[in-house]
PDB file of all heavy atoms in Angstrom:
ATOM      1  N   VAL O   1     -18.190 -14.402  -2.874  1.00 97.00           N
ATOM      2  CA  VAL O   1     -18.245 -15.508  -3.831  1.00 97.00           C
ATOM      3  C   VAL O   1     -18.600 -16.768  -3.044  1.00 97.00           C
ATOM      4  O   VAL O   1     -17.838 -17.187  -2.167  1.00 97.00           O
ATOM      5  CB  VAL O   1     -16.907 -15.721  -4.570  1.00 97.00           C
ATOM      6  CG1 VAL O   1     -17.022 -16.896  -5.542  1.00 97.00           C
ATOM      7  CG2 VAL O   1     -16.492 -14.465  -5.325  1.00 97.00           C
ATOM      8  N   ASP O   2     -19.753 -17.335  -3.325  1.00 96.00           N
ATOM      9  CA  ASP O   2     -20.198 -18.573  -2.676  1.00 96.00           C
ATOM     10  C   ASP O   2     -20.170 -18.473  -1.152  1.00 96.00           C
ATOM     11  O   ASP O   2     -19.807 -19.428  -0.445  1.00 96.00           O
ATOM     12  CB  ASP O   2     -19.336 -19.764  -3.128  1.00 96.00           C
ATOM     13  CG  ASP O   2     -19.420 -20.006  -4.637  1.00 96.00           C
ATOM     14  OD1 ASP O   2     -20.387 -19.524  -5.251  1.00 96.00           O
ATOM     15  OD2 ASP O   2     -18.518 -20.671  -5.171  1.00 96.00           O
ATOM     16  N   GLY O   3     -20.532 -17.284  -0.647  1.00 97.00           N
ATOM     17  CA  GLY O   3     -20.601 -17.110   0.802  1.00 97.00           C
ATOM     18  C   GLY O   3     -19.273 -16.808   1.471  1.00 97.00           C
ATOM     19  O   GLY O   3     -19.212 -16.698   2.705  1.00 97.00           O
ATOM     20  N   ILE O   4     -18.215 -16.673   0.686  1.00 98.00           N
ATOM     21  CA  ILE O   4     -16.888 -16.343   1.219  1.00 98.00           C
ATOM     22  C   ILE O   4     -16.578 -14.895   0.869  1.00 98.00           C
ATOM     23  O   ILE O   4     -16.666 -14.494  -0.303  1.00 98.00           O
ATOM     24  CB  ILE O   4     -15.803 -17.279   0.646  1.00 98.00           C
ATOM     25  CG1 ILE O   4     -16.166 -18.746   0.886  1.00 98.00           C
ATOM     26  CG2 ILE O   4     -14.444 -16.939   1.240  1.00 98.00           C
ATOM     27  CD1 ILE O   4     -16.341 -19.136   2.343  1.00 98.00           C
ATOM     28  N   MET O   5     -16.191 -14.102   1.866  1.00 98.00           N
ATOM     29  CA  MET O   5     -15.940 -12.679   1.652  1.00 98.00           C
ATOM     30  C   MET O   5     -14.497 -12.449   1.214  1.00 98.00           C
ATOM     31  O   MET O   5     -13.565 -12.958   1.835  1.00 98.00           O
ATOM     32  CB  MET O   5     -16.232 -11.888   2.934  1.00 98.00           C
ATOM     33  CG  MET O   5     -17.631 -12.126   3.505  1.00 98.00           C
ATOM     34  SD  MET O   5     -18.962 -11.927   2.276  1.00 98.00           S
ATOM     35  CE  MET O   5     -18.751 -10.194   1.829  1.00 98.00           C
ATOM     36  N   HIS O   6     -14.342 -11.712   0.131  1.00 98.00           N
ATOM     37  CA  HIS O   6     -13.021 -11.422  -0.443  1.00 98.00           C
ATOM     38  C   HIS O   6     -12.693  -9.943  -0.263  1.00 98.00           C
ATOM     39  O   HIS O   6     -13.491  -9.071  -0.648  1.00 98.00           O
ATOM     40  CB  HIS O   6     -13.015 -11.728  -1.944  1.00 98.00           C
ATOM     41  CG  HIS O   6     -13.160 -13.183  -2.296  1.00 98.00           C
ATOM     42  ND1 HIS O   6     -14.259 -13.933  -1.924  1.00 98.00           N
ATOM     43  CD2 HIS O   6     -12.344 -14.015  -3.009  1.00 98.00           C
ATOM     44  CE1 HIS O   6     -14.118 -15.166  -2.393  1.00 98.00           C
ATOM     45  NE2 HIS O   6     -12.972 -15.244  -3.038  1.00 98.00           N
ATOM     46  N   TYR O   7     -11.512  -9.670   0.280  1.00 98.00           N
ATOM     47  CA  TYR O   7     -10.970  -8.306   0.339  1.00 98.00           C
ATOM     48  C   TYR O   7      -9.735  -8.291  -0.558  1.00 98.00           C
ATOM     49  O   TYR O   7      -8.732  -8.950  -0.259  1.00 98.00           O
ATOM     50  CB  TYR O   7     -10.589  -7.922   1.770  1.00 98.00           C
ATOM     51  CG  TYR O   7     -10.063  -6.502   1.914  1.00 98.00           C
ATOM     52  CD1 TYR O   7     -10.891  -5.479   2.369  1.00 98.00           C
ATOM     53  CD2 TYR O   7      -8.749  -6.188   1.578  1.00 98.00           C
ATOM     54  CE1 TYR O   7     -10.413  -4.181   2.494  1.00 98.00           C
ATOM     55  CE2 TYR O   7      -8.274  -4.892   1.701  1.00 98.00           C
ATOM     56  CZ  TYR O   7      -9.103  -3.895   2.160  1.00 98.00           C
ATOM     57  OH  TYR O   7      -8.629  -2.606   2.266  1.00 98.00           O
ATOM     58  N   CYS O   8      -9.820  -7.573  -1.679  1.00 97.00           N
ATOM     59  CA  CYS O   8      -8.766  -7.635  -2.701  1.00 97.00           C
ATOM     60  C   CYS O   8      -8.392  -6.238  -3.202  1.00 97.00           C
ATOM     61  O   CYS O   8      -8.294  -6.008  -4.411  1.00 97.00           O
ATOM     62  CB  CYS O   8      -9.203  -8.508  -3.882  1.00 97.00           C
ATOM     63  SG  CYS O   8      -9.665 -10.193  -3.447  1.00 97.00           S
ATOM     64  N   VAL O   9      -8.198  -5.300  -2.301  1.00 95.00           N
ATOM     65  CA  VAL O   9      -7.835  -3.931  -2.707  1.00 95.00           C
ATOM     66  C   VAL O   9      -6.406  -3.923  -3.233  1.00 95.00           C
ATOM     67  O   VAL O   9      -5.477  -4.399  -2.560  1.00 95.00           O
ATOM     68  CB  VAL O   9      -7.994  -2.959  -1.530  1.00 95.00           C
ATOM     69  CG1 VAL O   9      -7.463  -1.576  -1.896  1.00 95.00           C
ATOM     70  CG2 VAL O   9      -9.459  -2.870  -1.115  1.00 95.00           C
ATOM     71  N   ALA O  10      -6.245  -3.384  -4.441  1.00 88.00           N
ATOM     72  CA  ALA O  10      -4.950  -3.483  -5.127  1.00 88.00           C
ATOM     73  C   ALA O  10      -3.922  -2.472  -4.626  1.00 88.00           C
ATOM     74  O   ALA O  10      -2.748  -2.584  -4.969  1.00 88.00           O
ATOM     75  CB  ALA O  10      -5.156  -3.317  -6.630  1.00 88.00           C
ATOM     76  N   ASN O  11      -4.343  -1.494  -3.860  1.00 87.00           N
ATOM     77  CA  ASN O  11      -3.374  -0.530  -3.324  1.00 87.00           C
ATOM     78  C   ASN O  11      -3.650  -0.323  -1.838  1.00 87.00           C
ATOM     79  O   ASN O  11      -3.904   0.779  -1.380  1.00 87.00           O
ATOM     80  CB  ASN O  11      -3.417   0.805  -4.089  1.00 87.00           C
ATOM     81  CG  ASN O  11      -4.784   1.483  -4.023  1.00 87.00           C
ATOM     82  OD1 ASN O  11      -5.810   0.819  -3.916  1.00 87.00           O
ATOM     83  ND2 ASN O  11      -4.796   2.797  -4.086  1.00 87.00           N
ATOM     84  N   MET O  12      -3.569  -1.411  -1.101  1.00 93.00           N
ATOM     85  CA  MET O  12      -3.877  -1.350   0.335  1.00 93.00           C
ATOM     86  C   MET O  12      -3.116  -0.243   1.072  1.00 93.00           C
ATOM     87  O   MET O  12      -3.709   0.480   1.870  1.00 93.00           O
ATOM     88  CB  MET O  12      -3.599  -2.703   0.986  1.00 93.00           C
ATOM     89  CG  MET O  12      -4.634  -3.758   0.679  1.00 93.00           C
ATOM     90  SD  MET O  12      -4.196  -5.385   1.351  1.00 93.00           S
ATOM     91  CE  MET O  12      -4.176  -5.051   3.113  1.00 93.00           C
ATOM     92  N   PRO O  13      -1.799  -0.058   0.825  1.00 93.00           N
ATOM     93  CA  PRO O  13      -1.089   0.985   1.576  1.00 93.00           C
ATOM     94  C   PRO O  13      -1.613   2.394   1.324  1.00 93.00           C
ATOM     95  O   PRO O  13      -1.333   3.303   2.116  1.00 93.00           O
ATOM     96  CB  PRO O  13       0.361   0.839   1.083  1.00 93.00           C
ATOM     97  CG  PRO O  13       0.455  -0.586   0.651  1.00 93.00           C
ATOM     98  CD  PRO O  13      -0.873  -0.872   0.015  1.00 93.00           C
ATOM     99  N   GLY O  14      -2.376   2.584   0.236  1.00 90.00           N
ATOM    100  CA  GLY O  14      -2.950   3.895  -0.031  1.00 90.00           C
ATOM    101  C   GLY O  14      -3.921   4.344   1.051  1.00 90.00           C
ATOM    102  O   GLY O  14      -4.210   5.535   1.176  1.00 90.00           O
ATOM    103  N   ALA O  15      -4.426   3.406   1.846  1.00 92.00           N
ATOM    104  CA  ALA O  15      -5.360   3.759   2.921  1.00 92.00           C
ATOM    105  C   ALA O  15      -4.667   4.534   4.033  1.00 92.00           C
ATOM    106  O   ALA O  15      -5.301   5.304   4.751  1.00 92.00           O
ATOM    107  CB  ALA O  15      -6.006   2.492   3.486  1.00 92.00           C
ATOM    108  N   VAL O  16      -3.374   4.298   4.189  1.00 95.00           N
ATOM    109  CA  VAL O  16      -2.588   5.026   5.193  1.00 95.00           C
ATOM    110  C   VAL O  16      -1.500   5.785   4.422  1.00 95.00           C
ATOM    111  O   VAL O  16      -0.310   5.518   4.551  1.00 95.00           O
ATOM    112  CB  VAL O  16      -2.008   4.075   6.265  1.00 95.00           C
ATOM    113  CG1 VAL O  16      -3.107   3.629   7.218  1.00 95.00           C
ATOM    114  CG2 VAL O  16      -1.361   2.849   5.642  1.00 95.00           C
ATOM    115  N   ALA O  17      -1.977   6.735   3.641  1.00 96.00           N
ATOM    116  CA  ALA O  17      -1.138   7.342   2.607  1.00 96.00           C
ATOM    117  C   ALA O  17       0.080   8.070   3.155  1.00 96.00           C
ATOM    118  O   ALA O  17       1.154   8.015   2.553  1.00 96.00           O
ATOM    119  CB  ALA O  17      -1.988   8.305   1.758  1.00 96.00           C
ATOM    120  N   ARG O  18      -0.060   8.738   4.271  1.00 97.00           N
ATOM    121  CA  ARG O  18       1.082   9.508   4.774  1.00 97.00           C
ATOM    122  C   ARG O  18       2.196   8.577   5.241  1.00 97.00           C
ATOM    123  O   ARG O  18       3.360   8.733   4.852  1.00 97.00           O
ATOM    124  CB  ARG O  18       0.659  10.449   5.901  1.00 97.00           C
ATOM    125  CG  ARG O  18       1.798  11.385   6.311  1.00 97.00           C
ATOM    126  CD  ARG O  18       1.355  12.477   7.266  1.00 97.00           C
ATOM    127  NE  ARG O  18       2.476  13.329   7.616  1.00 97.00           N
ATOM    128  CZ  ARG O  18       2.894  14.388   6.936  1.00 97.00           C
ATOM    129  NH1 ARG O  18       2.279  14.715   5.816  1.00 97.00           N
ATOM    130  NH2 ARG O  18       3.915  15.113   7.329  1.00 97.00           N
ATOM    131  N   THR O  19       1.846   7.596   6.057  1.00 97.00           N
ATOM    132  CA  THR O  19       2.838   6.613   6.504  1.00 97.00           C
ATOM    133  C   THR O  19       3.490   5.938   5.301  1.00 97.00           C
ATOM    134  O   THR O  19       4.717   5.794   5.233  1.00 97.00           O
ATOM    135  CB  THR O  19       2.177   5.557   7.403  1.00 97.00           C
ATOM    136  OG1 THR O  19       1.688   6.192   8.585  1.00 97.00           O
ATOM    137  CG2 THR O  19       3.175   4.473   7.800  1.00 97.00           C
ATOM    138  N   SER O  20       2.656   5.515   4.342  1.00 97.00           N
ATOM    139  CA  SER O  20       3.154   4.771   3.186  1.00 97.00           C
ATOM    140  C   SER O  20       4.060   5.627   2.308  1.00 97.00           C
ATOM    141  O   SER O  20       5.107   5.161   1.834  1.00 97.00           O
ATOM    142  CB  SER O  20       1.979   4.251   2.351  1.00 97.00           C
ATOM    143  OG  SER O  20       1.204   3.339   3.087  1.00 97.00           O
ATOM    144  N   THR O  21       3.660   6.869   2.075  1.00 97.00           N
ATOM    145  CA  THR O  21       4.449   7.757   1.215  1.00 97.00           C
ATOM    146  C   THR O  21       5.823   8.019   1.806  1.00 97.00           C
ATOM    147  O   THR O  21       6.841   7.973   1.103  1.00 97.00           O
ATOM    148  CB  THR O  21       3.697   9.079   0.980  1.00 97.00           C
ATOM    149  OG1 THR O  21       2.561   8.836   0.141  1.00 97.00           O
ATOM    150  CG2 THR O  21       4.587  10.113   0.316  1.00 97.00           C
ATOM    151  N   ILE O  22       5.871   8.299   3.099  1.00 97.00           N
ATOM    152  CA  ILE O  22       7.163   8.583   3.732  1.00 97.00           C
ATOM    153  C   ILE O  22       8.039   7.335   3.726  1.00 97.00           C
ATOM    154  O   ILE O  22       9.240   7.398   3.421  1.00 97.00           O
ATOM    155  CB  ILE O  22       6.959   9.118   5.157  1.00 97.00           C
ATOM    156  CG1 ILE O  22       6.243  10.483   5.115  1.00 97.00           C
ATOM    157  CG2 ILE O  22       8.297   9.261   5.887  1.00 97.00           C
ATOM    158  CD1 ILE O  22       5.770  10.987   6.469  1.00 97.00           C
ATOM    159  N   ALA O  23       7.438   6.174   4.037  1.00 97.00           N
ATOM    160  CA  ALA O  23       8.205   4.925   4.046  1.00 97.00           C
ATOM    161  C   ALA O  23       8.738   4.593   2.657  1.00 97.00           C
ATOM    162  O   ALA O  23       9.899   4.193   2.493  1.00 97.00           O
ATOM    163  CB  ALA O  23       7.329   3.774   4.560  1.00 97.00           C
ATOM    164  N   LEU O  24       7.888   4.756   1.634  1.00 97.00           N
ATOM    165  CA  LEU O  24       8.322   4.471   0.264  1.00 97.00           C
ATOM    166  C   LEU O  24       9.392   5.460  -0.178  1.00 97.00           C
ATOM    167  O   LEU O  24      10.395   5.079  -0.793  1.00 97.00           O
ATOM    168  CB  LEU O  24       7.126   4.525  -0.682  1.00 97.00           C
ATOM    169  CG  LEU O  24       7.424   4.242  -2.158  1.00 97.00           C
ATOM    170  CD1 LEU O  24       7.992   2.837  -2.348  1.00 97.00           C
ATOM    171  CD2 LEU O  24       6.153   4.408  -3.003  1.00 97.00           C
ATOM    172  N   GLY O  25       9.199   6.734   0.147  1.00 96.00           N
ATOM    173  CA  GLY O  25      10.175   7.752  -0.238  1.00 96.00           C
ATOM    174  C   GLY O  25      11.541   7.524   0.371  1.00 96.00           C
ATOM    175  O   GLY O  25      12.574   7.744  -0.276  1.00 96.00           O
ATOM    176  N   ASN O  26      11.569   7.055   1.622  1.00 96.00           N
ATOM    177  CA  ASN O  26      12.849   6.742   2.262  1.00 96.00           C
ATOM    178  C   ASN O  26      13.605   5.674   1.485  1.00 96.00           C
ATOM    179  O   ASN O  26      14.842   5.695   1.400  1.00 96.00           O
ATOM    180  CB  ASN O  26      12.627   6.253   3.696  1.00 96.00           C
ATOM    181  CG  ASN O  26      12.136   7.343   4.632  1.00 96.00           C
ATOM    182  OD1 ASN O  26      12.266   8.525   4.347  1.00 96.00           O
ATOM    183  ND2 ASN O  26      11.552   6.936   5.749  1.00 96.00           N
ATOM    184  N   ALA O  27      12.859   4.711   0.933  1.00 97.00           N
ATOM    185  CA  ALA O  27      13.488   3.594   0.220  1.00 97.00           C
ATOM    186  C   ALA O  27      13.876   3.953  -1.210  1.00 97.00           C
ATOM    187  O   ALA O  27      14.937   3.545  -1.703  1.00 97.00           O
ATOM    188  CB  ALA O  27      12.549   2.390   0.217  1.00 97.00           C
ATOM    189  N   THR O  28      13.028   4.718  -1.892  1.00 98.00           N
ATOM    190  CA  THR O  28      13.274   4.994  -3.318  1.00 98.00           C
ATOM    191  C   THR O  28      14.274   6.126  -3.547  1.00 98.00           C
ATOM    192  O   THR O  28      14.912   6.174  -4.597  1.00 98.00           O
ATOM    193  CB  THR O  28      11.963   5.349  -4.048  1.00 98.00           C
ATOM    194  OG1 THR O  28      11.368   6.508  -3.434  1.00 98.00           O
ATOM    195  CG2 THR O  28      10.983   4.190  -4.016  1.00 98.00           C
ATOM    196  N   MET O  29      14.413   7.029  -2.573  1.00 97.00           N
ATOM    197  CA  MET O  29      15.214   8.230  -2.806  1.00 97.00           C
ATOM    198  C   MET O  29      16.644   7.947  -3.275  1.00 97.00           C
ATOM    199  O   MET O  29      17.097   8.550  -4.262  1.00 97.00           O
ATOM    200  CB  MET O  29      15.232   9.116  -1.562  1.00 97.00           C
ATOM    201  CG  MET O  29      15.862  10.498  -1.828  1.00 97.00           C
ATOM    202  SD  MET O  29      16.197  11.435  -0.309  1.00 97.00           S
ATOM    203  CE  MET O  29      14.591  11.506   0.461  1.00 97.00           C
ATOM    204  N   PRO O  30      17.394   7.039  -2.662  1.00 97.00           N
ATOM    205  CA  PRO O  30      18.767   6.815  -3.132  1.00 97.00           C
ATOM    206  C   PRO O  30      18.823   6.340  -4.585  1.00 97.00           C
ATOM    207  O   PRO O  30      19.715   6.737  -5.343  1.00 97.00           O
ATOM    208  CB  PRO O  30      19.297   5.740  -2.183  1.00 97.00           C
ATOM    209  CG  PRO O  30      18.437   5.811  -0.982  1.00 97.00           C
ATOM    210  CD  PRO O  30      17.083   6.215  -1.475  1.00 97.00           C
ATOM    211  N   PHE O  31      17.870   5.490  -4.983  1.00 98.00           N
ATOM    212  CA  PHE O  31      17.845   4.995  -6.360  1.00 98.00           C
ATOM    213  C   PHE O  31      17.427   6.096  -7.330  1.00 98.00           C
ATOM    214  O   PHE O  31      17.969   6.225  -8.422  1.00 98.00           O
ATOM    215  CB  PHE O  31      16.890   3.807  -6.468  1.00 98.00           C
ATOM    216  CG  PHE O  31      17.331   2.602  -5.693  1.00 98.00           C
ATOM    217  CD1 PHE O  31      16.830   2.348  -4.417  1.00 98.00           C
ATOM    218  CD2 PHE O  31      18.262   1.706  -6.216  1.00 98.00           C
ATOM    219  CE1 PHE O  31      17.244   1.242  -3.693  1.00 98.00           C
ATOM    220  CE2 PHE O  31      18.680   0.593  -5.503  1.00 98.00           C
ATOM    221  CZ  PHE O  31      18.170   0.365  -4.237  1.00 98.00           C
ATOM    222  N   MET O  32      16.456   6.900  -6.920  1.00 98.00           N
ATOM    223  CA  MET O  32      16.012   8.021  -7.748  1.00 98.00           C
ATOM    224  C   MET O  32      17.159   9.003  -7.988  1.00 98.00           C
ATOM    225  O   MET O  32      17.373   9.481  -9.110  1.00 98.00           O
ATOM    226  CB  MET O  32      14.828   8.718  -7.074  1.00 98.00           C
ATOM    227  CG  MET O  32      14.233   9.893  -7.847  1.00 98.00           C
ATOM    228  SD  MET O  32      14.945  11.495  -7.363  1.00 98.00           S
ATOM    229  CE  MET O  32      14.340  11.674  -5.688  1.00 98.00           C
TER     230      MET O  32
END
């Protein structure tokens, strides 16, 4: 936009899915 580069991926952690899934699962499991 007007010569400025925008990086706006809405699910950035999905790029490192294994790390992200395990980290998220550790946090959500007690509540689940």
